[in-house]
Amino acid sequence: MENMEKRMLTAEDFTPAKQNEIEIEKAYASQSFWKDVVSRFIKNKGAVFGLLMILLIVLMSFVGPSISGYDYRTQDMDQRNLPPHIAGMEYIPFFSGEETVYVGSKAYVTNVYEDKGIMDVTHIFGTDSLGRDQFARVWTGTRVSLYVALVAILIDTFVGMSYGLVSGYLGGKTDFFLQRIVEVLSTIPTTVIVTLLIVVLKPGLLSITIALMITEWIGMSRIARAQTLRYKEREFVLASRTLGERTLPIIFREILPNIFGQVIVMCMMTIPNAIFTEAFLAFIGLGIPAPLASLGSLISDGFKNMTMYPFMVACPVVVLALLMLCFNLMADGLRDAFDPRMKEA
């Protein structure tokens, strides 16, 4: 009985723990999925830079022509092939209005604006071979490229996504038939389709839009189909099917929210491809007709005079490259933001 006697606790039995010995459980504030996506997107400096530059380019595409003070169609044969110049800012090398003239083997630097007596005239990007202001034409062409990007997003979202969701969920003979259509369309080059459309329609944005509607959605449909095959046998889909839910509500209420991140990323990835497609078609002469400009047609016109007037091709090339780069940066940032495996512990 003495061994089983209760021991009395004293103050010595209670020793305060040291601060470094305490394991503190970190409590993270709960936040919604979209807030989590936005916070991780903001942490990606490259993606934020791409988004800001895209917003700036969109703004310039609308206000740029009015800033120059010229219409993109106005011709002035007395001001042909002028280099970039800003009145009062001739000390800036690119906007000094000077160009190098070769006489035999000797090179002479001359100020074209001073020679013509038009030092008060401003052409930020210079003029083309018809005397049209390049600044107004470049930003007008950027507007066309952004229109093509918007068309690509709408086609991907409504055509490609719906096609892939239905094909992947229904499966069987329906999926087999729909995928054979995709394979046939994917083997036809876009250039051939546009050429055939030009035979029927006039060259312009309508023929390019129809060409994008025929082939641009194929990549999105394949991504949507692959993701649908991944999720259609999950427990939440089987539960909805067991409870008697119809096919379309299951596709668009249960599966679509789970692949929405991949859909957004794919849309961003297809925008540079659509812009490049329009620029390529305009470069080879299958784009929009003159006097309306696009970045591709401006590059094509500037390429003809590249050796004598390199600024004609440099300005639209820089804008096109910057536009495609920024969309790629933003797409990479969205991919990392929507990927749950990138979430920090």
Side-chain angles (χ1 to χ4, degrees):
M1 295 295 294
E2 293 179 358
N3 296 332
M4 300 180 61
E5 185 177 345
K6 293 184 179 180
R7 180 176 176 272
M8 299 296 293
L9 299 177
T10 62
E12 297 178 354
D13 294 325
F14 297 92
T15 304
K18 296 181 180 180
Q19 187 66 26
N20 57 2
E21 296 178 354
I22 302 177
E23 295 183 1
I24 302 176
E25 182 180 357
K26 295 181 180 180
Y28 296 93
S30 60
Q31 57 182 357
S32 66
F33 170 75
W34 289 106
K35 288 184 178 180
D36 190 31
V37 169
V38 171
S39 64
R40 278 185 283 147
F41 180 82
I42 293 176
K43 292 179 181 178
N44 192 324
K45 296 181 180 179
V48 174
F49 170 78
L51 176 60
L52 294 178
M53 289 303 299
I54 290 172
L55 294 177
L56 179 61
I57 291 174
V58 171
L59 177 64
M60 288 301 299
S61 67
F62 287 97
V63 304
S66 60
I67 291 176
S68 67
Y70 297 94
D71 187 80
Y72 72 94
R73 297 165 294 187
T74 303
Q75 302 180 15
D76 189 347
M77 301 305 290
D78 294 331
Q79 298 185 10
R80 295 180 298 169
N81 305 323
L82 294 179
H85 174 260
I86 299 178
M89 301 181 67
E90 290 81 5
Y91 55 87
I92 301 178
F94 184 75
F95 301 107
S96 62
E98 297 179 346
E99 69 176 4
T100 303
V101 180
Y102 292 91
V103 179
S105 59
K106 294 183 179 181
Y108 298 92
V109 178
T110 180
N111 193 307
V112 182
Y113 290 81
E114 186 177 356
D115 296 340
K116 291 179 176 289
I118 52 174
M119 290 297 292
D120 58 338
V121 174
T122 296
H123 291 291
I124 301 177
F125 288 169
T127 61
D128 62 4
S129 57
L130 295 177
R132 296 173 294 192
D133 184 74
Q134 281 286 89
F135 190 82
R137 291 182 63 77
V138 165
W139 294 119
T140 302
T142 304
R143 194 183 306 170
V144 174
S145 297
L146 292 173
Y147 164 79
V148 173
L150 178 61
V151 170
I153 291 177
L154 295 177
I155 293 172
D156 274 354
T157 303
F158 293 103
V159 180
M161 183 186 67
S162 301
Y163 193 95
L165 285 169
V166 172
S167 177
Y169 183 79
L170 296 180
K173 295 182 179 180
T174 303
D175 181 51
F176 178 83
F177 176 73
L178 293 179
Q179 291 308 304
R180 299 297 79 75
I181 296 177
V182 169
E183 291 177 359
V184 171
L185 292 177
S186 62
T187 58
I188 305 175
T190 306
T191 307
V192 176
I193 296 176
V194 174
T195 305
L196 295 176
L197 290 174
I198 290 176
V199 176
V200 181
L201 304 173
K202 295 181 179 180
L205 286 176
L206 180 60
S207 59
I208 295 176
T209 302
I210 295 176
L212 292 176
M213 292 179 63
I214 295 175
T215 60
E216 187 63 28
W217 54 270
I218 293 177
M220 172 62 78
S221 70
R222 288 173 173 171
I223 294 296
R225 176 178 177 271
Q227 294 296 321
T228 303
L229 293 174
R230 175 185 175 187
Y231 283 102
K232 75 174 186 177
E233 299 299 333
R234 294 289 182 90
E235 290 79 2
F236 61 91
V237 177
L238 295 177
S240 298
R241 194 182 307 164
T242 303
L243 293 174
E245 189 66 88
R246 292 175 298 175
T247 299
L248 290 181
I250 292 177
I251 293 175
F252 292 100
R253 293 180 184 175
E254 303 294 339
I255 298 178
L256 178 58
N258 288 278
I259 69 172
F260 196 66
Q262 289 82 357
V263 169
I264 294 178
V265 172
M266 189 62 188
C267 285
M268 293 296 104
M269 289 292 187
T270 56
I271 288 175
N273 183 49
I275 294 175
F276 179 78
T277 299
E278 185 277 328
F280 169 73
L281 293 174
F283 184 80
I284 63 177
L286 298 178
I288 58 177
L292 185 61
S294 72
L295 291 178
S297 62
L298 291 174
I299 294 173
S300 177
D301 295 339
F303 182 75
K304 301 172 184 176
N305 303 306
M306 185 175 63
T307 56
M308 294 292 296
Y309 310 104
F311 61 87
M312 288 187 185
V313 69
C315 296
V317 163
V318 170
V319 174
L320 177 62
L322 187 61
L323 188 62
M324 296 181 67
L325 174 63
C326 291
F327 271 115
N328 277 313
L329 288 175
M330 191 172 70
D332 289 339
L334 288 173
R335 181 188 59 194
D336 297 340
F338 279 105
D339 191 353
R341 292 171 296 182
M342 300 296 294
K343 186 174 182 179
E344 298 179 359

